[in-house]
Amino acid sequence: MKIGIISINMYSKGLNFACPLHTWAFQQLLFQHGIDNEIINYKPVYYNDFDLKHPADYYDKLYRSMEKQDGEDKEEKLKELAYKRDSYKELYCEREIRYDKFQKFIDKHYVKTDKCYNSDLLEVLDPGFDGYICATDVIWKNEPGYGFDRGFFLGSQVMENKWKIAYSASRGRWYPNNEEEKALFFHYIEDIDFLSVREKSLQMYIEDNSDKRATVVLDPVLLHKKEFWEKVAVTPKEKKYLLLYHVVEEAGDTIEQAIKYARKYDLTIVEVSDKPLEKGATIEMLDKVIYRYDIGVEEWLGYILYADCVFTNSFHGCCFSVLFEKELFVGNRLEDKVDNLLETFNIMNRKLQKNSSVDEETYPQIDYEKVNRILVEKRKESIDFLISSISRCENCKKDEKDYSQWKKSQKYEVIYNSQTQQNKTTELYTQVYDGKIKTLESGNKEFSLSELYENDGNSYLMANLFSRYGYSPKGWKVRVRIDREWFWYLEDGTLKLKKEYKKGDDSPVRCFKENEVIPYIPLNKISLIVAEAVWKKGIEKYTIIYNSGKKSNRIKCKYKENTGLIKRLPSKAIEYTVQVPVENNGETHFLYNIFKFVGGGYQFCGWRIRVRIGERWFWYFEDGQLLLKENVSTKLYDDIKVFSENELIPYIPANHVRVVVAEAVWKETKILKAWHRIRNMFKRKDVL
């Protein structure tokens, strides 16, 4: 059995020292017990396209993009981005050095996949493992703006019906905020076969809200003895120093107390941090300080190992301080993971309080004999849980499970893209459906329907109501966005990452017909589908009908029956249907007036046209727009364009133009107007 490990490993935005270490420690433990495994090169959903080596460039790019946008909180966002950009810029070279050292450690020690995955790719690309373990740290957090990363829950499609183990998972301080998020959280963990967590609070949350049972285990770095870490730790050149390691900017208590302690015992402060602070947080408080932002994980271990004292609010800073039996003082954190660790080893008295004063108070020595007895016991329990869980996976057959019901319950937005660039397009969608039209920088137009589609295989693609001169619609190409990645839907029913698709090598992108059903897509997360219009060269043809406009038996058609179809409507209007269809190219002339009034009285003014597109009728207006007939009131009739006889019939900017009706427009002659005045005069005399 080969196991794939998913953890926060190579893609920690702050280049957190512990991330490469706890993953490596976990992998090494499995190897020590003869378990074949590989670390999955995995990017979290919140990582995006972050530049790990040059974050200053990344934030500068975001800043310049934000400057072009609007929004109430624009200034606040710009201020935050500017701070991050400028802070990382001041440490540009140090960041490069630190990044290179991290990568060197990973390349030297990790056995990992060559391909980089994320939760999207794990929906469609199988790394080929028999089972999966999500391992440690804050992997189950409800990340603001992104939600849960289902890859960290082993919830992507390729992991279905594979053995799943959660080891030492943590949720941090970001947890479900509502019933919907809570249901999603428990949906994910329901499918995990063997469940262990890092904090007691998470164990209680799971067991109080579900029938799942969770075991509390140690973080992987604590599964190895002190000697394991001493082999990789680098001895620092500094002597007689206090190590200050803080991981959040709200670490004022830790910093203040560290300065007091260093002054009392005449220690140099070596300050390291995950935050980009050019001269550290102690710059205004102490002169005797060394700032190290350019160190790697081996140097970081060495600084803890050889420190006279450690001040930290970091969970893993505490873990290694305990392993190395250091004089330890612990600052405050918003979540409970640090407190949980201190409580486990009965050293809560090493936590700094608001009224603490380390230069005046006497703290009892940490009894590391007792700590180590607890550590040995908890280490054995944790390893036993892990190895026994893997053994059961190897020796038992896993029952098959049907995941389709959950996937079919998903709803997603569908956007229709015109793929017409700068070609003239219409906005008929908003007249026929409830939704929004947006014009992109490319000139393409996008229509988004207000209603969401269901992933049940019963939703239909719309007809193409865009237009492209000289082309007719062929259908739709469908691309699917899962979380952050785009995939083409191919003819063979598979999905291919859009940026990796190779025409000729891969199956062709499927062209769906208009009004065809969108198939059920067996994915765990569909956030959006875009249907891109596919066009074929060729001009559509339509039937043109000339309508007398007036409804009177006095109207006659000048043409004979054998030149076209002449029909008297029940309304008494006459229609003349041209036998040969007309191409929608704007190059056909209207006929001269083909109607006449017996006895005269009316003068022909021209043609106004109404267009049948599909099963709906539209009026053609002066500005070239088409407006749905049922939405046009009598007040707007004066804005309907009137074409003179023998003028060119315009290109109708729409598809599926079936019929164009040219209605004759008349006005009364002077003689008829005079006759009406005389008749009205006699009517008034009769009344008198």
Side-chain angles (χ1 to χ4, degrees):
M1 179 177 179
K2 187 168 186 178
I3 292 174
I5 302 170
I6 281 190
S7 63
I8 304 173
N9 42 60
M10 289 163 279
Y11 300 100
S12 165
K13 289 184 177 180
L15 286 180
N16 186 298
F17 297 108
C19 291
L21 292 174
H22 63 59
T23 300
W24 176 60
F26 189 73
Q27 180 171 61
Q28 290 302 306
L29 183 80
L30 294 184
F31 281 145
Q32 288 170 6
H33 287 80
I35 298 166
D36 191 12
N37 73 91
E38 201 168 338
I39 296 167
I40 297 175
N41 187 343
Y42 186 78
K43 281 186 179 180
V45 66
Y46 50 81
Y47 190 82
N48 297 329
D49 57 347
F50 186 78
D51 189 337
L52 197 56
K53 189 171 185 176
H54 301 115
D57 297 341
Y58 172 80
Y59 286 116
D60 183 56
K61 181 180 178 182
L62 288 183
Y63 184 90
R64 286 185 278 109
S65 176
M66 178 63 66
E67 279 185 311
K68 300 176 183 178
Q69 301 176 21
D70 296 320
E72 293 181 2
D73 56 348
K74 176 181 176 179
E75 292 304 317
E76 184 178 343
K77 289 180 178 178
L78 284 174
K79 184 178 180 181
E80 181 182 356
L81 290 173
Y83 169 75
K84 291 180 177 180
R85 176 198 63 196
D86 297 342
S87 297
Y88 278 114
K89 191 174 182 180
E90 290 175 347
L91 292 165
Y92 202 88
C93 295
E94 290 89 341
R95 176 71 178 202
E96 287 183 324
I97 295 169
R98 182 166 169 173
Y99 171 85
D100 290 340
K101 288 179 178 179
F102 270 59
Q103 290 304 118
K104 185 177 179 180
F105 177 88
I106 289 167
D107 294 340
K108 179 180 179 180
H109 294 288
Y110 276 23
V111 178
K112 62 181 179 65
T113 61
D114 292 330
K115 188 171 186 62
C116 180
Y117 294 87
N118 56 30
S119 58
D120 293 352
L121 290 180
L122 289 175
E123 291 290 335
V124 298
L125 296 178
D126 191 346
F129 297 105
D130 304 304
Y132 293 88
I133 299 178
C134 54
T136 207
D137 219 343
V138 188
I139 53 176
W140 287 357
K141 60 180 172 179
N142 186 24
E143 183 75 24
Y146 297 95
F148 300 114
D149 186 316
R150 69 187 177 286
F152 283 142
F153 286 87
L154 309 180
S156 292
Q157 182 177 226
V158 300
M159 301 168 177
E160 292 171 359
N161 290 313
K162 301 286 183 71
W163 287 109
K164 300 178 182 180
I165 300 172
Y167 184 83
S168 188
S170 174
R171 67 175 179 179
R173 62 189 174 101
W174 302 112
Y175 46 86
N177 295 312
N178 53 50
E179 289 303 313
E180 183 180 353
E181 291 175 353
K182 184 177 177 181
L184 182 59
F185 177 88
F186 285 101
H187 164 73
Y188 284 140
I189 68 169
E190 179 64 32
D191 202 42
I192 296 176
D193 301 291
F194 302 99
L195 181 60
S196 68
V197 296
R198 199 172 66 181
E199 286 83 45
K200 182 72 175 177
S201 60
L202 181 53
Q203 178 195 44
M204 294 173 60
Y205 177 75
I206 291 171
E207 295 185 353
D208 289 347
N209 291 279
S210 73
D211 57 1
K212 297 287 286 186
R213 291 294 171 261
T215 302
V216 178
V217 295
L218 295 178
D219 187 272
V221 302
L222 296 171
L223 300 182
H224 295 279
K225 296 179 180 179
K226 175 182 178 181
E227 293 75 21
F228 175 86
W229 297 107
E230 287 177 333
K231 292 177 183 178
V232 294
V234 173
T235 305
K237 61 182 179 180
E238 291 84 2
K239 305 292 182 182
K240 198 182 178 185
Y241 64 87
L242 175 156
L243 179 68
L244 172 60
Y245 176 53
H246 54 92
V247 292
V248 290
E249 291 176 16
E250 297 83 2
D253 62 330
T254 312
I255 298 164
E256 182 181 356
Q257 296 301 319
I259 292 171
K260 288 182 179 180
Y261 192 93
R263 282 176 173 160
K264 179 176 180 179
Y265 294 100
D266 192 27
L267 297 174
T268 299
I269 291 181
V270 175
E271 181 184 336
V272 298
S273 173
D274 288 339
K275 295 294 181 182
L277 302 170
E278 183 189 14
K279 294 186 179 179
T282 57
I283 181 64
E284 296 179 357
M285 303 181 186
L286 189 70
D287 296 328
K288 196 176 178 182
V289 61
I290 297 170
Y291 308 106
R292 293 303 308 274
Y293 189 76
D294 59 353
I295 61 174
V297 293
E298 301 98 328
E299 294 166 289
W300 179 73
L301 284 173
Y303 273 118
I304 299 175
L305 178 59
Y306 293 99
D308 286 56
C309 179
V310 176
F311 277 74
T312 185
N313 63 354
S314 155
F315 173 82
H316 284 101
C318 291
C319 286
F320 283 107
S321 295
V322 168
L323 274 171
F324 297 152
E325 301 180 9
K326 308 309 297 183
E327 181 74 359
L328 173 65
F329 294 92
V330 183
N332 288 304
R333 289 291 295 273
L334 293 176
E335 59 264 39
D336 67 343
K337 59 185 180 181
V338 173
D339 286 358
N340 184 85
L341 179 74
L342 299 179
E343 288 170 354
T344 298
F345 296 111
N346 294 326
I347 53 174
M348 275 297 290
N349 59 354
R350 307 305 290 192
K351 183 172 180 181
L352 299 169
Q353 305 300 323
K354 287 185 178 180
N355 58 350
S356 294
S357 184
V358 294
D359 57 341
E360 297 177 359
E361 300 175 28
T362 301
Y363 285 77
Q365 288 291 316
I366 299 174
D367 187 344
Y368 274 110
E369 283 190 15
K370 290 183 179 180
V371 169
N372 285 327
R373 284 198 294 271
I374 297 171
L375 178 56
V376 169
E377 180 186 349
K378 296 295 183 182
R379 181 183 289 151
K380 183 179 184 304
E381 291 174 359
S382 300
I383 294 175
D384 285 348
F385 165 84
L386 178 61
I387 302 307
S388 64
S389 298
I390 295 173
S391 178
R392 291 174 65 184
C393 294
E394 291 176 328
N395 296 296
C396 298
K397 183 179 179 181
K398 186 174 174 64
D399 295 332
E400 292 286 316
K401 180 179 177 180
D402 182 10
Y403 296 83
S404 61
Q405 184 175 356
W406 172 268
K407 296 175 185 177
K408 287 182 178 179
S409 68
Q410 294 181 93
K411 294 185 178 182
Y412 53 81
E413 182 184 8
V414 175
I415 292 177
Y416 293 86
N417 186 294
S418 66
Q419 287 296 297
T420 51
Q421 284 75 49
Q422 300 300 328
N423 197 285
K424 183 178 181 182
T425 60
T426 54
E427 298 186 7
L428 300 183
Y429 274 112
T430 53
Q431 298 185 57
V432 179
Y433 302 104
D434 182 19
K436 295 181 180 179
I437 283 278
K438 180 172 73 172
T439 302
L440 308 180
E441 290 183 4
S442 63
N444 289 339
K445 291 198 173 184
E446 284 189 342
F447 171 74
S448 55
L449 192 67
S450 297
E451 293 183 20
L452 298 177
Y453 284 59
E454 292 190 8
N455 187 35
D456 57 2
N458 295 319
S459 298
Y460 291 83
L461 289 163
M462 295 181 177
N464 186 347
L465 296 187
F466 298 115
S467 63
R468 184 179 179 186
Y469 182 78
Y471 291 81
S472 57
K474 184 179 179 181
W476 302 102
K477 290 192 304 183
V478 168
R479 51 186 167 95
V480 181
R481 193 176 81 184
I482 304 179
D483 270 324
R484 308 291 298 178
E485 302 281 5
W486 287 100
F487 298 83
W488 283 119
Y489 193 99
L490 306 184
E491 281 187 359
D492 61 5
T494 62
L495 294 168
K496 179 72 176 184
L497 191 64
K498 184 175 180 286
K499 61 188 178 186
E500 293 183 0
Y501 178 77
K502 294 181 180 179
K503 190 175 182 180
D505 293 340
D506 296 310
S507 176
V509 176
R510 178 171 172 179
C511 182
F512 289 86
K513 297 178 182 177
E514 297 176 86
N515 300 311
E516 187 176 349
V517 170
I518 302 176
Y520 157 64
I521 302 175
L523 300 175
N524 286 292
K525 180 70 179 293
I526 305 172
S527 58
L528 178 65
I529 282 181
V530 172
E532 294 186 357
V534 180
W535 303 91
K536 58 183 177 182
K537 283 190 175 182
I539 300 174
E540 289 186 324
K541 295 183 178 182
Y542 57 79
T543 299
I544 184 163
I545 298 174
Y546 291 87
N547 183 289
S548 63
K550 288 291 185 180
K551 304 166 185 178
S552 171
N553 286 325
R554 294 174 54 214
I555 298 179
K556 303 294 180 183
C557 183
K558 299 177 183 178
Y559 279 30
K560 296 181 179 179
E561 187 71 37
N562 59 2
T563 61
L565 179 63
I566 300 174
K567 181 170 65 173
R568 173 77 67 174
L569 304 180
S571 63
K572 298 181 182 180
I574 294 179
E575 282 189 346
Y576 171 77
T577 304
V578 178
Q579 290 181 327
V580 180
V582 173
E583 286 191 345
N584 185 23
N585 57 9
E587 297 178 4
T588 302
H589 290 269
F590 285 101
L591 295 176
Y592 286 97
N593 180 20
I594 63 173
F595 301 109
K596 63 179 180 179
F597 272 86
V598 177
Y602 288 92
Q603 180 181 342
F604 177 76
C605 299
W607 307 103
R608 64 184 179 191
I609 62 175
R610 52 187 169 92
V611 182
R612 197 184 91 182
I613 300 169
E615 300 302 320
R616 291 180 170 84
W617 287 95
F618 296 80
W619 284 112
Y620 189 97
F621 275 69
E622 283 282 357
D623 59 3
Q625 290 293 311
L626 296 165
L627 293 185
L628 198 62
K629 184 174 180 288
E630 61 202 56
N631 294 338
V632 177
S633 64
T634 53
K635 294 180 180 180
L636 295 175
Y637 265 53
D638 289 342
D639 296 325
I640 297 174
K641 184 173 177 62
V642 177
F643 296 88
S644 60
E645 51 185 344
N646 204 38
E647 190 176 342
L648 285 174
I649 302 174
Y651 162 67
I652 308 298
N655 303 310
H656 314 296
V657 179
R658 303 289 181 245
V659 179
V660 170
V661 174
E663 290 189 1
V665 179
W666 307 88
K667 67 178 180 180
E668 296 177 347
T669 61
K670 292 180 179 179
I671 296 174
L672 183 60
K673 287 181 180 179
W675 162 246
H676 285 161
R677 285 197 296 270
I678 294 170
R679 185 182 64 180
N680 291 336
M681 288 174 59
F682 278 105
K683 284 183 178 180
R684 287 196 293 274
K685 287 181 179 179
D686 291 341
V687 171
L688 294 173

